Amino acid sequence: MDYNDHTKHDGSSYLAHFNGSEPFRQEKYTYATTDWGERARKIFSENLEKPQFVYLSFNAPHEPVTAPGWLKKPFREIYPKLSETRIEFLAAVKEIDRQIRFLHQTLEKIQ
């Protein structure tokens, strides 16, 4: 599955997003890690009156590792001799770190 445009290797659409047991489609296609982090922050921010549990299991960086160009660009500039595979991996992990940081910041604000 491509984590950028949510398609299978044969080009067909892939619905990999669920809210509980209900499938949903993204309003806009974004990198899955980014989308899931944003949705987790939204759930906590919009439900302050009751306790929340969010199981946030990022699927990147699992094979096939993909990342959007805006995440890969800084690594290409810093490490021009790295393979594309390694750059994809670094970018995927960086976005997980970034989304966890954003979620932590959101939780600190709403406490």
Side-chain angles (χ1 to χ4, degrees), residues 61-73:
H62 293 88
E63 292 292 333
V65 178
T66 63
W70 64 271
L71 282 170
K72 294 186 286 187
K73 185 179 180 202

Side-chain angles (χ1 to χ4, degrees), residues 44-92:
F44 283 113
S45 296
E46 292 179 354
N47 296 284
L48 300 176
E49 69 284 353
K50 56 187 173 184
Q52 295 296 312
F53 172 80
V54 173
Y55 179 77
L56 183 58
S57 179
F58 296 112
N59 58 355
H62 293 88
E63 292 292 333
V65 178
T66 63
W70 64 271
L71 282 170
K72 294 186 286 187
K73 185 179 180 202
F75 291 105
R76 283 191 184 115
E77 292 170 357
I78 296 168
Y79 308 109
K81 294 182 181 182
L82 280 183
S83 70
E84 186 63 19
T85 301
R86 183 70 174 149
I87 287 174
E88 294 271 4
F89 181 81
L90 290 171

Side-chain angles (χ1 to χ4, degrees), residues 24-38:
F24 72 90
R25 296 218 179 261
Q26 292 174 277
E27 293 175 20
K28 61 185 188 321
Y29 281 112
T30 58
Y31 188 54
T33 300
T34 305
D35 182 59
W36 295 349
E38 289 171 357

Side-chain angles (χ1 to χ4, degrees), residues 83-102:
S83 70
E84 186 63 19
T85 301
R86 183 70 174 149
I87 287 174
E88 294 271 4
F89 181 81
L90 290 171
V93 171
K94 178 69 173 182
E95 184 60 2
I96 292 170
D97 292 345
R98 198 173 78 102
Q99 290 303 319
I100 294 294
R101 184 180 74 241
F102 291 161

